Amino acid sequence: MASAPAFLLLFIMLLCSATVQAQRKIPLGSPLTAILIKNSNNTSWESESGDFAFGFQQIEKDGFLLAIWFNKIPERTIVWSANGNNLVQEGSKVELTISGLFLIDQTGKQIWSTTKTPNTEVSYAALLDEGNLVLANQDSANLWESFNEPTDTILQTQTLTLGMILVARYSESNYSSGRFHFNLSDKGPRLYKRAFPTEVGNTAYWQSNEVSSEYQLTFNQSGFFCLEAKNGTILTVLLSSTTSSSERDFYRRVILEYDGVLRQYVYPKGDYSISRLKWSMAPSTSIPSDICSNLTENTGSGSCGFNSYCKLGDEQRPSCFCPDGYVFIDPDDKIKGCRPAFEAQSCDKDSLDGDLFDLHTVENADWPESHYEHFIPVTEEWCRKACLSDCFCDLAYFKNGDCWKKQLPLRNGRMRSNYGGKAMIKIRKDNSTSKPGGTKSKGQDQPTMLLIGFLSSSVFLNIVTLVGSLVLFRFSKKAKVIQPYEFMPDMNLRTFAYAELEKATNGFEEQLGRGAFGTVFKGVIPFGNVSLVAVKKLDNMMKESEREFKAEVSAIGRTNHKNLVQLIGFCNEGQHRLLVYEFMSKGSLAGFLFGPLRPTWHHRMQIALEIARGLFYLHEECSTQIIHCDVKPQNILLDDSYAARISDFGLAKILNTDQTRTTTGIRGTKGYVAPEWFKNMPVTVKVDVYSYGIVLLEIICCRKNFEAEVDDDTQTILTDWAYDCYASGKIEVLVNKDDEAMEDMKRVENYVMVALWCIQEDPSLRPAMKKVVRMLEGTIEVSDPPDPSSFISFL
Ligand SMILES: *[C@@H]1O[C@H](CO)[C@@H](O)[C@H](O)[C@H]1NC(C)=O
Ligand SMILES: *[C@@H]1O[C@H](CO)[C@@H](O)[C@H](O)[C@H]1NC(C)=O
Ligand SMILES: *[C@@H]1O[C@H](CO)[C@@H](O)[C@H](O)[C@H]1NC(C)=O
Ligand SMILES: *[C@@H]1O[C@H](CO)[C@@H](O)[C@H](O)[C@H]1NC(C)=O
Ligand SMILES: *[C@@H]1O[C@H](CO)[C@@H](O)[C@H](O)[C@H]1NC(C)=O
Ligand SMILES: *[C@@H]1O[C@H](CO)[C@@H](O)[C@H](O)[C@H]1NC(C)=O
Ligand SMILES: *[C@@H]1O[C@H](CO)[C@@H](O)[C@H](O)[C@H]1NC(C)=O
Ligand SMILES: *[C@@H]1O[C@H](CO)[C@@H](O)[C@H](O)[C@H]1NC(C)=O
């Protein structure tokens, strides 16, 4: 290669030795450079007739392809290329030397070259009128032909022989090697799906019935693409053209397209300046006739990507679709397949997830070979139930008493009008549960008034005071607190030895607080960039719950949000279960809010938003949904910059598995717990929304929900007072000692309305945290909240 340029001048003279052939010879030393096909004469070499050209084609913004194309038609139609897998950039060039043709990129690196013929020197190159680029020697014997190294296209007069291969491109406009190839093997011509991205043919989806060990494929002047024996006998016509007009009237090509189908296209020759013409499929069948049905893989996704299905459209063209509840992983590259748009069913034995799923019939579709269980004879109803109750089952296929359970990733998906069976895909039921917008009920009815009267009475308050704020009630409803989890051993948590924590806390000396789950101590551990830590000693953990403990800790450890207290590590030694958190220097929101120094309205708004964002993250954004179950100002801590951080999340599930006490109790704190805890109702993220609503009111008003020492009895229960103020249009009363808030009444009212929505008795009326965040931010309008009436059903 290095010596090649030295010879260039020597051979320039050959340019002049014109022979009487109908060829436009390209002399040695003719460089083509990769620049935009504009006012340069050197970016392409044309064939004599001008029908074809060889040179650089720009492929979108990605680079340049050294290619041969139909040169006269307006559409760029590339029929051969050298560097589909390796586009080059501006400044690259092609050099023709005695050793062959070389593609050199802008850095001088050789990207591609013609295969070298030993002992002969190239004399010239020519692009023939058939579209064949040849390198010839002095005697005009061809040393190299592009027709012998086809890419994905065959042109008229071209012959494919044993050992040759056509490789489909990746997509319509991406010329790199795709997922299909046509192999002229000694067993006959076959179409293969490749084990992409390797080049190995995996599954043959078409082969010729005519078998001959010596054969070739020809594409003749009248548009017949034939399999013929070596002696010239036509064995079978693979693709034919029935256009009756003379062969001279059309350009033709046979191409293995990116969708795996071999097709013949024709393009009328004519004056393209006056008539709009296009490539159309020669009216004959394509190969294979129905790739959706003909390509079934034992391993691999089939003709479309995993979880999608293939359907033939116009001209038998396959397209890929996602079933209900699924979306394309990459809408710009559908071949990558589909993914469920919902959270998978939990396989946790305690999970009540099953009720949350449904089977949707995908008419006339099937995903052959994706099954893992098969039952006969059963009814369709049996099949449905079997799939719904099986967390592994993602799809049930029922046909004439046969029931197949299938699981992800679903393979070989296809849809055709006559499959007959019934595919039922499992998807999570409607997951939008917040429907705020009910009518505002003005007057309270009689029973409500009576109850409120009772609740406000001193008897009730005494009970409340007695019971205190940290008591847990026993109730019969078993709560599902944390949804599916996968154990991730690589979680970023450190394990601590008990002795290590004992030392760090100086023998559990300085107590920071006591909560429902245990006691928290201050400690010092140099770890990363934190050194002060809060060590939470969990009470009475049973050994049996080991697995659950690890699971929950790992779920907590996987969370990462600026409004959550970060878990640093844990200790799990026999009876000792401890969690190590980063230390929050400014204490709890309770101390701040109800303490002597009332935080400013501006700061309180920030805190309200930060808590809402933290909860939204726990509910919807982290990998394992976490319901906090005990949102209250004592569990909201403040970091160095007084930003709110939620603590104690994820612990409710650990308590749930604690067999020694409150096995099935109310998780949460009196005054903040949602009414559904007291009823036989499922516990959802909406319990946190409720508690958040109470906390929000407390933040707005800087007082506790229950306050016995108030001048006016109607103000004892903050939620009731707030609603009364709202209903009578006197919201300012709630913040009347707060000048800053008084000047921002519009926002105060907005916050109060959000809080009233959050504390609706009916969980479905409460907005999801995502909506709460948006309402607080003012990005969505808050409608009039109805009377929360939350305490009627309590008693
Ligand atoms: C085109 O190629 C000729 C030699 O074949 C060279 O002299 C000329 O400079 C080239 N023109 C451009 C624009 O590259
Ligand atoms: C390109 O070639 C044509 C004739 O073939 C000539 O008229 C024109 O000047 C050339 N342009 C450049 C940029 O060399
Ligand atoms: C073409 O597709 C291949 C395979 O997916 C990808 O690696 C490559 O980046 C794509 N090329 C372009 C230019 O988009
Ligand atoms: C083509 O098929 C032959 C015979 O089955 C095989 O040996 C060869 O590796 C295949 N070529 C490619 C590129 O897969
Ligand atoms: C092309 O092949 C078909 C089918 O074998 C044949 O009928 C036709 O005459 C051939 N045309 C030419 C120009 O060879
Ligand atoms: C050509 O070869 C095929 C089998 O390869 C054979 O059946 C046929 O008779 C041969 N025809 C001639 C004319 O030899
Ligand atoms: C391809 O599928 C069609 C439709 O199901 C069928 O009629 C045809 O026989 C199949 N072809 C092959 C080669 O399997
Ligand atoms: C469920 O939620 C996901 C993600 O928010 C959404 O894409 C999907 O459409 C929802 N499904 C239903 C049935 O509402």
Side-chain angles (χ1 to χ4, degrees):
M1 202 24 238
S3 62
F7 292 90
L8 295 184
L9 279 173
L10 253 156
F11 291 91
I12 284 278
M13 54 177 227
L14 285 161
L15 170 62
C16 314
S17 72
T19 56
V20 249
Q21 287 175 344
Q23 287 181 2
R24 180 174 295 175
K25 289 189 182 175
I26 302 140
L28 296 178
S30 306
L32 279 175
T33 44
I35 45 179
L36 289 171
I37 310 280
K38 266 194 298 205
N39 38 33
S40 161
N41 287 347
N42 284 4
T43 48
S44 65
W45 298 333
E46 285 182 14
S47 68
E48 186 70 29
S49 63
D51 283 342
F52 290 94
F54 167 77
F56 287 106
Q57 283 281 349
Q58 187 168 23
I59 307 301
E60 284 159 7
K61 294 210 163 44
D62 304 315
F64 292 86
L65 190 63
L66 182 61
I68 298 171
W69 62 90
F70 281 98
N71 193 40
K72 280 189 175 161
I73 62 176
E75 283 128 296
R76 177 178 68 186
T77 307
I78 290 171
V79 298
W80 178 91
S81 64
N83 60 323
N85 286 329
N86 207 351
L87 298 180
V88 293
Q89 304 305 316
E90 213 162 302
S92 306
K93 60 182 177 190
V94 172
E95 278 178 9
L96 179 61
T97 76
I98 53 162
S99 311
L101 205 51
F102 298 86
L103 171 59
I104 317 286
D105 77 5
Q106 71 284 2
T107 66
K109 190 170 139 224
Q110 181 183 317
I111 298 296
W112 171 87
S113 72
T114 51
T115 42
K116 188 169 157 29
T117 321
N119 304 326
T120 40
E121 289 177 349
V122 175
S123 164
Y124 64 90
L127 180 59
L128 307 183
D129 276 337
E130 292 78 29
N132 191 12
L133 178 70
V134 299
L135 301 189
N137 65 11
Q138 255 172 317
D139 308 326
S140 294
N142 287 348
L143 302 177
W144 181 89
E145 299 181 35
S146 64
F147 269 15
N148 289 337
E149 290 181 15
T151 50
D152 59 0
T153 304
I154 309 159
L155 297 171
Q156 280 171 290
T157 74
Q158 190 168 355
T159 298
L160 296 183
T161 55
L162 211 63
M164 284 187 183
I165 183 165
L166 296 185
V167 179
R169 60 181 84 142
Y170 185 76
S171 71
E172 184 84 60
S173 59
N174 180 337
Y175 289 78
S176 75
S177 302
R179 301 172 306 130
F180 302 95
H181 73 217
F182 188 35
N183 184 351
L184 277 74
S185 79
D186 49 10
K187 301 188 189 86
R190 289 180 177 182
L191 283 169
Y192 282 93
K193 168 120 187 261
R194 291 178 150 190
F196 189 82
T198 72
E199 300 190 342
V200 180
N202 213 20
T203 307
Y205 57 97
W206 175 86
Q207 65 189 77
S208 167
N209 295 325
E210 309 293 326
V211 189
S212 166
S213 53
E214 295 261 314
Y215 67 90
Q216 59 188 19
L217 296 171
T218 56
F219 187 23
N220 78 13
Q221 288 289 9
S222 13
F224 287 81
F225 183 52
C226 302
L227 174 65
E228 53 180 49
K230 254 296 182 327
N231 62 18
T233 312
I234 305 286
L235 298 171
T236 180
V237 175
L238 300 175
L239 293 171
S240 63
S241 159
T242 53
T243 46
S244 53
S245 28
S246 149
E247 61 253 29
R248 294 241 171 259
D249 299 340
F250 291 92
Y251 293 115
R252 298 171 193 276
R253 62 192 168 110
V254 166
I255 175 174
L256 174 63
E257 291 200 273
Y258 64 93
D259 57 12
V261 181
L262 259 179
R263 300 186 179 93
Q264 181 181 167
Y265 286 94
V266 298
Y267 200 110
K269 293 181 180 174
D271 183 349
Y272 304 119
S273 60
I274 51 167
S275 48
R276 277 184 63 87
L277 301 167
K278 65 178 187 57
W279 284 106
S280 55
M281 250 178 82
S284 69
T285 55
S286 50
I287 296 176
S289 55
D290 174 0
I291 192 170
C292 296
S293 306
N294 293 149
L295 172 48
T296 304
E297 295 192 279
N298 289 325
T299 54
S301 62
S303 47
C304 284
F306 288 111
N307 300 333
S308 51
Y309 63 84
C310 176
K311 190 180 170 193
L312 288 189
D314 287 352
E315 299 185 320
Q316 309 287 96
R317 274 171 207 282
S319 302
C320 302
F321 301 91
C322 291
D324 288 350
Y326 284 60
V327 293
F328 283 111
I329 291 170
D330 180 356
D332 296 327
D333 191 0
K334 296 184 176 174
I335 290 309
K336 296 221 164 85
C338 306
R339 62 169 175 85
F342 51 85
E343 198 178 351
Q345 188 174 6
S346 167
C347 282
D348 185 330
K349 73 173 165 41
D350 295 332
S351 167
L352 304 173
D353 241 13
D355 301 342
L356 302 175
F357 288 84
D358 212 347
L359 295 182
H360 275 215
T361 303
V362 191
E363 301 288 349
N364 296 313
D366 189 14
W367 280 264
E369 306 299 323
S370 304
H371 58 274
Y372 65 97
E373 273 192 315
H374 181 204
F375 303 95
I376 42 165
V378 296
T379 62
E380 185 181 323
E381 193 48 31
W382 189 94
C383 192
R384 284 184 76 88
K385 285 190 177 144
C387 182
L388 274 175
S389 62
D390 177 355
C391 68
F392 294 125
C393 181
D394 296 300
L395 181 130
Y397 187 75
F398 181 80
K399 187 176 188 177
N400 303 332
D402 284 48
C403 171
W404 286 270
K405 280 193 201 167
K406 310 197 176 197
Q407 65 189 151
L408 301 189
L410 298 168
R411 304 187 285 113
N412 300 311
R414 59 197 58 176
M415 178 182 275
R416 226 176 60 167
S417 57
N418 58 356
Y419 278 140
K422 193 166 183 182
M424 296 170 282
I425 193 150
K426 185 188 279 178
I427 65 176
R428 202 174 262 272
K429 285 180 194 166
D430 184 25
N431 45 12
S432 72
T433 43
S434 68
K435 300 173 196 109
T439 51
K440 180 172 167 181
S441 68
K442 279 285 180 201
Q444 286 166 323
D445 49 18
Q446 207 62 2
T448 318
M449 295 301 278
L450 289 173
L451 284 164
I452 286 173
F454 171 73
L455 289 173
S456 319
S457 74
S458 57
V459 178
F460 182 77
L461 288 173
N462 283 341
I463 297 172
V464 171
T465 318
L466 265 175
V467 171
S469 67
L470 293 174
V471 174
L472 300 167
F473 286 84
R474 283 178 165 273
F475 270 85
S476 59
K477 177 73 191 144
K478 177 154 188 171
K480 177 173 183 309
V481 179
I482 293 185
Q483 271 157 20
Y485 101 92
E486 314 144 67
F487 188 74
M488 295 198 357
D490 56 339
M491 60 183 164
N492 193 18
L493 289 181
R494 185 177 153 191
T495 44
F496 291 94
Y498 183 72
E500 199 179 348
L501 294 179
E502 198 167 25
K503 184 157 165 265
T505 56
N506 202 9
F508 301 102
E509 190 186 47
E510 191 182 339
Q511 187 173 328
L512 292 171
R514 212 192 127 67
F517 309 106
T519 314
V520 188
F521 301 91
K522 190 169 176 178
V524 184
I525 295 170
F527 184 74
N529 49 7
V530 286
S531 60
L532 283 179
V533 293
V535 178
K536 177 169 275 232
K537 221 174 159 185
L538 300 177
D539 295 338
N540 271 338
M541 296 298 304
M542 291 293 288
K543 207 162 168 53
E544 291 81 64
S545 56
E546 174 100 14
R547 196 182 65 84
E548 256 96 348
F549 177 76
K550 282 201 177 136
E552 296 325 316
V553 166
S554 101
I556 298 168
R558 281 199 304 270
T559 59
N560 180 17
H561 188 271
K562 66 177 191 298
N563 298 119
L564 301 181
V565 177
Q566 187 71 40
L567 183 66
I568 296 169
F570 64 97
C571 161
N572 184 19
E573 257 179 49
Q575 289 290 318
H576 301 301
R577 299 261 164 88
L578 299 98
L579 300 174
V580 180
Y581 292 96
E582 54 181 337
F583 180 75
M584 293 291 116
S585 60
K586 307 295 185 209
S588 77
L589 177 62
F592 189 48
L593 208 53
F594 311 136
L597 291 171
R598 172 195 281 254
T600 65
W601 165 240
H602 179 77
H603 189 189
R604 300 205 308 279
M605 285 183 344
Q606 293 297 316
I607 289 176
L609 247 176
E610 285 160 355
I611 303 168
R613 289 187 181 129
L615 286 174
F616 167 49
Y617 172 85
L618 289 175
H619 291 177
E620 291 182 43
E621 288 184 316
C622 61
S623 57
T624 304
Q625 183 185 59
I626 293 177
I627 305 179
H628 190 298
C629 293
D630 197 12
V631 176
K632 58 180 177 181
Q634 288 78 5
N635 283 336
I636 314 294
L637 303 181
L638 301 170
D639 65 16
D640 294 347
S641 53
Y642 285 96
R645 307 273 217 108
I646 299 170
S647 77
D648 266 11
F649 54 90
L651 295 180
K653 181 70 176 288
I654 295 179
L655 187 78
N656 188 30
T657 60
D658 177 356
Q659 305 300 310
T660 59
R661 19 179 287 206
T662 57
T663 313
T664 52
I666 293 178
R667 251 60 69 218
T669 304
K670 192 78 202 71
Y672 299 94
V673 291
E676 55 267 35
W677 284 108
F678 307 101
K679 303 187 209 165
N680 201 23
M681 277 171 76
V683 167
T684 66
V685 290
K686 295 301 181 66
V687 302
D688 288 349
V689 177
Y690 182 91
S691 308
Y692 176 78
I694 305 279
V695 172
L696 179 55
L697 282 178
E698 294 182 331
I699 292 173
I700 296 167
C701 306
C702 268
R703 57 154 276 193
K704 292 180 183 160
N705 190 17
F706 286 98
E707 221 157 73
E709 308 291 315
V710 285
D711 309 333
D712 183 345
D713 264 5
T714 62
Q715 298 183 10
T716 305
I717 300 170
L718 176 59
T719 47
D720 294 342
W721 182 41
Y723 182 73
D724 292 344
C725 292
Y726 168 74
S728 57
K730 291 185 193 138
I731 289 199
E732 65 278 4
V733 179
L734 292 169
V735 290
N736 64 3
K737 293 185 201 105
D738 189 337
D739 293 343
E740 198 193 344
M742 291 293 279
E743 279 171 22
D744 194 13
M745 274 324 291
K746 190 82 207 90
R747 193 122 44 169
V748 173
E749 179 174 20
N750 185 55
Y751 272 44
V752 169
M753 284 162 76
V754 172
L756 292 173
W757 273 117
C758 291
I759 60 173
Q760 291 298 312
E761 189 201 338
D762 177 354
S764 71
L765 288 180
R766 294 173 212 151
M769 285 315 296
K770 181 180 194 166
K771 187 161 184 190
V772 170
V773 170
R774 298 186 62 204
M775 291 193 294
L776 293 178
E777 287 170 342
T779 49
I780 50 177
E781 196 86 8
V782 190
S783 52
D784 289 338
D787 181 358
S789 322
S790 35
F791 287 88
I792 304 172
S793 52
F794 175 7
L795 295 176

